[in-house]
Amino acid sequence: MLVDSPPEQRAESVSAPPTRRAIRAVGLLVSVLILVVVVLASIAIGAKQLSLGEVWHGLFESSGTFGDVVVDDRISRTVLGLLAGAALGLAGAVLQALTRNPLADPGLLGINAGASAAVVTAITFLGVTSFNAYVWFAFLGAAAVGALVWFLGGSRGATPVRLALAGTAISAALYGYLQAVMIMDDAALNKMRFWTVGSLASATDSTIKQVLPFLVAGMVLALALARPLNAMEMGDDTAKALGANLNRTRVLAMLAATVLCGAATAACGPIVFVGLMVPHVVRSFTGPDLRWILPYAAVLSPVLLLGADVLGRMVARPSELQVGIITAILGGPVFIFLVRRRRTAQL
């Protein structure tokens, strides 16, 4: 269900008094410091317990010992978590602005479903077994679904409602296809069962290098769209009066969200709720200005993703729970709370 922004929020000026801007700037700095702490925790804490000395040795005096190898793996995992978290947060913020739905997330337009369907198809019908190959099939699937949603949503005549409806319909169809293929093919089910829940455990330098150009390009594009998306959130007529090009902004916003979510899903599998929760919570203290929402989302989304990953490694030692399971467990109750709070505020 689409939830439009309250009129008083849309009408709020994107300019803030100096005191409020200073508070936002300090808050962003505090968020960066929190992210640094979580990054260090992600490297130091894991399913395999290491002393602080072993972690330090692995970071600065690597000599090929078991502890050094574990730390190297955790560094790759942490870097991928940083990139994927920022990508999902930015994609969620852009989609919430594009659809004018503060409860939208990257799954709303079927991008996650497209990536998953492409990987299942590659495994089942093409015999693909390499994770590095999964990345490219997942990205192509996400891009194809993004283009299809744009076409079915009306292309140049696309509206927030049409895009959301097209994405929902495509997601339902693709998830039905996924279930049918995996039920009929035990090999596909065994190979997909970890990837489909979302995990950072398979992070490698090669995977990071493959998706990094797409993630950087998507992040730059998303941040550059802050002003035109601000105008669009005030309504189409107001945006046109302010000189915004609605069609171009929608195309670029769809492209940014598809690239960001597609690349993150390709590398980690579908991870839910990160792109929904963080931008929505951030908006509650930054206001509707995307010039602040986007940077905050890019910093705090990795905090949530890496924090959930660390928690998953701690609660099931010596094994671990995939980060997608943790975010789903945390995200369900939070989502219900957000919906109920918003409903109460509108009564």
Side-chain angles (χ1 to χ4, degrees):
M1 180 181 69
L2 293 178
V3 183
D4 202 2
S5 301
E8 64 272 12
Q9 185 183 50
R10 296 200 307 268
E12 181 181 330
S13 171
V14 296
S15 299
T19 302
R20 188 171 185 183
R21 287 199 298 268
I23 293 173
R24 288 169 171 172
V26 171
L28 188 59
L29 177 60
V30 172
S31 299
V32 171
L33 295 177
I34 294 173
L35 178 59
V36 171
V37 173
V38 174
V39 165
L40 295 176
S42 178
I43 296 173
I45 302 172
K48 297 180 177 65
Q49 296 191 41
L50 299 177
S51 67
L52 290 179
E54 289 176 307
V55 173
W56 181 269
H57 191 279
L59 284 172
F60 300 105
E61 303 173 15
S62 181
S63 58
T65 64
F66 172 77
D68 297 344
V69 172
V70 171
V71 171
D72 288 342
D73 290 342
R74 289 182 186 173
I75 291 174
S76 296
R77 186 171 184 155
T78 301
V79 171
L80 183 59
L82 277 170
L83 294 172
L88 292 172
L90 287 172
V94 168
L95 289 176
Q96 287 174 11
L98 178 64
T99 61
R100 297 179 198 152
N101 179 1
L103 298 179
D105 75 331
L108 181 68
L109 298 186
I111 298 172
N112 286 347
S116 299
V119 172
V120 168
T121 300
I123 291 173
T124 305
F125 301 111
L126 302 179
V128 174
T129 58
S130 168
F131 181 82
N132 288 336
Y134 293 172
V135 169
W136 293 107
F137 278 98
F139 186 78
L140 289 173
V145 169
L148 182 59
V149 168
W150 176 251
F151 174 77
L152 294 178
S155 300
R156 291 183 176 274
T159 63
V161 174
R162 287 180 179 178
L163 291 173
L165 291 176
T168 301
I170 292 173
S171 292
L174 288 178
Y175 279 124
Y177 165 77
L178 281 171
Q179 296 302 317
V181 172
M182 289 194 291
I183 288 173
M184 292 187 297
D185 189 333
D186 291 339
L189 177 59
N190 289 332
K191 292 174 183 176
M192 286 294 298
R193 61 194 179 99
F194 289 112
W195 189 85
T196 51
V197 297
S199 175
L200 299 176
S202 299
T204 64
D205 292 342
S206 175
T207 301
I208 294 171
K209 290 176 182 177
Q210 286 177 345
V211 299
L212 183 60
F214 298 102
L215 291 173
V216 171
M219 289 176 188
V220 171
L221 180 57
L223 293 170
L225 289 171
R227 286 182 181 274
L229 285 174
N230 271 340
M232 284 183 59
E233 282 209 314
M234 298 179 185
D236 288 358
D237 292 339
T238 303
K240 289 178 181 178
L242 293 173
N245 187 322
L246 300 185
N247 288 330
R248 182 178 64 189
T249 300
R250 285 178 178 137
V251 169
L252 293 177
M254 276 288 297
L255 178 62
T258 299
V259 170
L260 288 169
C261 188
T265 303
C268 311
I271 297 175
V272 297
F273 286 117
V274 174
L276 184 154
M277 286 192 295
V278 176
H280 187 83
V281 171
V282 163
R283 188 178 287 103
S284 66
F285 60 86
T286 64
D289 191 348
L290 283 157
R291 292 174 299 176
W292 288 101
I293 293 174
L294 291 173
Y296 266 96
V299 172
L300 291 178
S301 294
V303 170
L304 173 60
L305 187 60
L306 289 175
D309 188 46
V310 171
L311 180 61
R313 285 182 268 170
M314 293 175 61
V315 297
R317 283 175 173 167
S319 184
E320 65 177 78
L321 288 176
Q322 281 70 32
V323 66
I325 296 174
I326 300 298
T327 58
I329 292 173
L330 297 175
V334 172
F335 180 72
I336 294 171
F337 169 76
L338 293 175
V339 171
R340 289 183 60 84
R341 188 183 68 171
R342 184 169 184 81
R343 181 180 178 184
T344 301
Q346 291 178 336
L347 292 178

mmCIF file of all heavy atoms in Angstrom, residues 53 55-65 68:
data_model
loop_
_atom_site.group_PDB
_atom_site.id
_atom_site.type_symbol
_atom_site.label_atom_id
_atom_site.label_comp_id
_atom_site.label_asym_id
_atom_site.label_seq_id
_atom_site.Cartn_x
_atom_site.Cartn_y
_atom_site.Cartn_z
ATOM 1 N N GLY A 53 45.594 -9.468 20.230
ATOM 2 C CA GLY A 53 46.954 -9.540 19.686
ATOM 3 C C GLY A 53 46.978 -10.204 18.322
ATOM 4 O O GLY A 53 47.688 -9.762 17.404
ATOM 5 N N VAL A 55 44.473 -10.314 16.223
ATOM 6 C CA VAL A 55 43.829 -9.399 15.283
ATOM 7 C C VAL A 55 44.810 -8.317 14.854
ATOM 8 O O VAL A 55 44.922 -7.979 13.663
ATOM 9 C CB VAL A 55 42.572 -8.773 15.912
ATOM 10 C CG1 VAL A 55 42.000 -7.689 15.008
ATOM 11 C CG2 VAL A 55 41.524 -9.845 16.191
ATOM 12 N N TRP A 56 45.534 -7.750 15.816
ATOM 13 C CA TRP A 56 46.519 -6.705 15.513
ATOM 14 C C TRP A 56 47.608 -7.259 14.584
ATOM 15 O O TRP A 56 48.003 -6.598 13.614
ATOM 16 C CB TRP A 56 47.135 -6.190 16.799
ATOM 17 C CG TRP A 56 48.146 -5.093 16.591
ATOM 18 C CD1 TRP A 56 49.489 -5.226 16.424
ATOM 19 C CD2 TRP A 56 47.866 -3.698 16.502
ATOM 20 N NE1 TRP A 56 50.076 -4.002 16.252
ATOM 21 C CE2 TRP A 56 49.104 -3.043 16.293
ATOM 22 C CE3 TRP A 56 46.702 -2.933 16.591
ATOM 23 C CZ2 TRP A 56 49.199 -1.655 16.170
ATOM 24 C CZ3 TRP A 56 46.794 -1.552 16.467
ATOM 25 C CH2 TRP A 56 48.034 -0.933 16.252
ATOM 26 N N HIS A 57 48.077 -8.456 14.879
ATOM 27 C CA HIS A 57 49.111 -9.079 14.050
ATOM 28 C C HIS A 57 48.603 -9.294 12.632
ATOM 29 O O HIS A 57 49.327 -9.071 11.649
ATOM 30 C CB HIS A 57 49.532 -10.410 14.668
ATOM 31 C CG HIS A 57 50.761 -10.996 14.049
ATOM 32 N ND1 HIS A 57 50.720 -11.708 12.867
ATOM 33 C CD2 HIS A 57 52.056 -10.974 14.423
ATOM 34 C CE1 HIS A 57 51.942 -12.103 12.549
ATOM 35 N NE2 HIS A 57 52.774 -11.670 13.478
ATOM 36 N N GLY A 58 47.353 -9.728 12.507
ATOM 37 C CA GLY A 58 46.789 -9.956 11.191
ATOM 38 C C GLY A 58 46.622 -8.678 10.387
ATOM 39 O O GLY A 58 46.710 -8.681 9.162
ATOM 40 N N LEU A 59 46.382 -7.547 11.095
ATOM 41 C CA LEU A 59 46.195 -6.275 10.405
ATOM 42 C C LEU A 59 47.509 -5.664 9.933
ATOM 43 O O LEU A 59 47.601 -5.140 8.821
ATOM 44 C CB LEU A 59 45.476 -5.280 11.330
ATOM 45 C CG LEU A 59 43.980 -5.483 11.533
ATOM 46 C CD1 LEU A 59 43.464 -4.548 12.611
ATOM 47 C CD2 LEU A 59 43.233 -5.245 10.227
ATOM 48 N N PHE A 60 48.537 -5.747 10.775
ATOM 49 C CA PHE A 60 49.742 -4.970 10.495
ATOM 50 C C PHE A 60 51.013 -5.796 10.326
ATOM 51 O O PHE A 60 52.007 -5.285 9.815
ATOM 52 C CB PHE A 60 49.967 -3.951 11.627
ATOM 53 C CG PHE A 60 48.830 -2.989 11.786
ATOM 54 C CD1 PHE A 60 47.938 -3.115 12.839
ATOM 55 C CD2 PHE A 60 48.624 -1.965 10.869
ATOM 56 C CE1 PHE A 60 46.881 -2.236 12.989
ATOM 57 C CE2 PHE A 60 47.577 -1.077 11.012
ATOM 58 C CZ PHE A 60 46.694 -1.205 12.079
ATOM 59 N N GLU A 61 50.994 -7.073 10.736
ATOM 60 C CA GLU A 61 52.233 -7.858 10.669
ATOM 61 C C GLU A 61 51.930 -9.245 10.106
ATOM 62 O O GLU A 61 52.362 -10.258 10.648
ATOM 63 C CB GLU A 61 52.852 -7.980 12.070
ATOM 64 C CG GLU A 61 53.144 -6.639 12.734
ATOM 65 C CD GLU A 61 53.600 -6.804 14.168
ATOM 66 O OE1 GLU A 61 53.965 -7.932 14.562
ATOM 67 O OE2 GLU A 61 53.581 -5.810 14.909
ATOM 68 N N SER A 62 51.198 -9.297 9.019
ATOM 69 C CA SER A 62 50.738 -10.575 8.466
ATOM 70 C C SER A 62 51.906 -11.484 8.098
ATOM 71 O O SER A 62 52.862 -11.060 7.451
ATOM 72 C CB SER A 62 49.882 -10.323 7.225
ATOM 73 O OG SER A 62 49.419 -11.528 6.697
ATOM 74 N N SER A 63 51.807 -12.755 8.533
ATOM 75 C CA SER A 63 52.868 -13.730 8.235
ATOM 76 C C SER A 63 52.281 -15.070 7.787
ATOM 77 O O SER A 63 52.965 -16.076 7.778
ATOM 78 C CB SER A 63 53.755 -13.936 9.473
ATOM 79 O OG SER A 63 52.975 -14.385 10.563
ATOM 80 N N GLY A 64 50.992 -15.098 7.458
ATOM 81 C CA GLY A 64 50.382 -16.311 6.924
ATOM 82 C C GLY A 64 49.882 -17.285 7.964
ATOM 83 O O GLY A 64 49.548 -18.427 7.635
ATOM 84 N N THR A 65 49.812 -16.897 9.245
ATOM 85 C CA THR A 65 49.299 -17.789 10.281
ATOM 86 C C THR A 65 47.772 -17.894 10.154
ATOM 87 O O THR A 65 47.135 -17.155 9.399
ATOM 88 C CB THR A 65 49.653 -17.269 11.679
ATOM 89 O OG1 THR A 65 49.000 -16.008 11.892
ATOM 90 C CG2 THR A 65 51.164 -17.090 11.811
ATOM 91 N N ASP A 68 46.039 -14.689 10.910
ATOM 92 C CA ASP A 68 46.200 -13.701 9.846
ATOM 93 C C ASP A 68 45.215 -13.953 8.715
ATOM 94 O O ASP A 68 44.623 -13.030 8.145
ATOM 95 C CB ASP A 68 47.624 -13.731 9.295
ATOM 96 C CG ASP A 68 48.665 -13.343 10.352
ATOM 97 O OD1 ASP A 68 48.257 -12.780 11.388
ATOM 98 O OD2 ASP A 68 49.855 -13.603 10.133
#
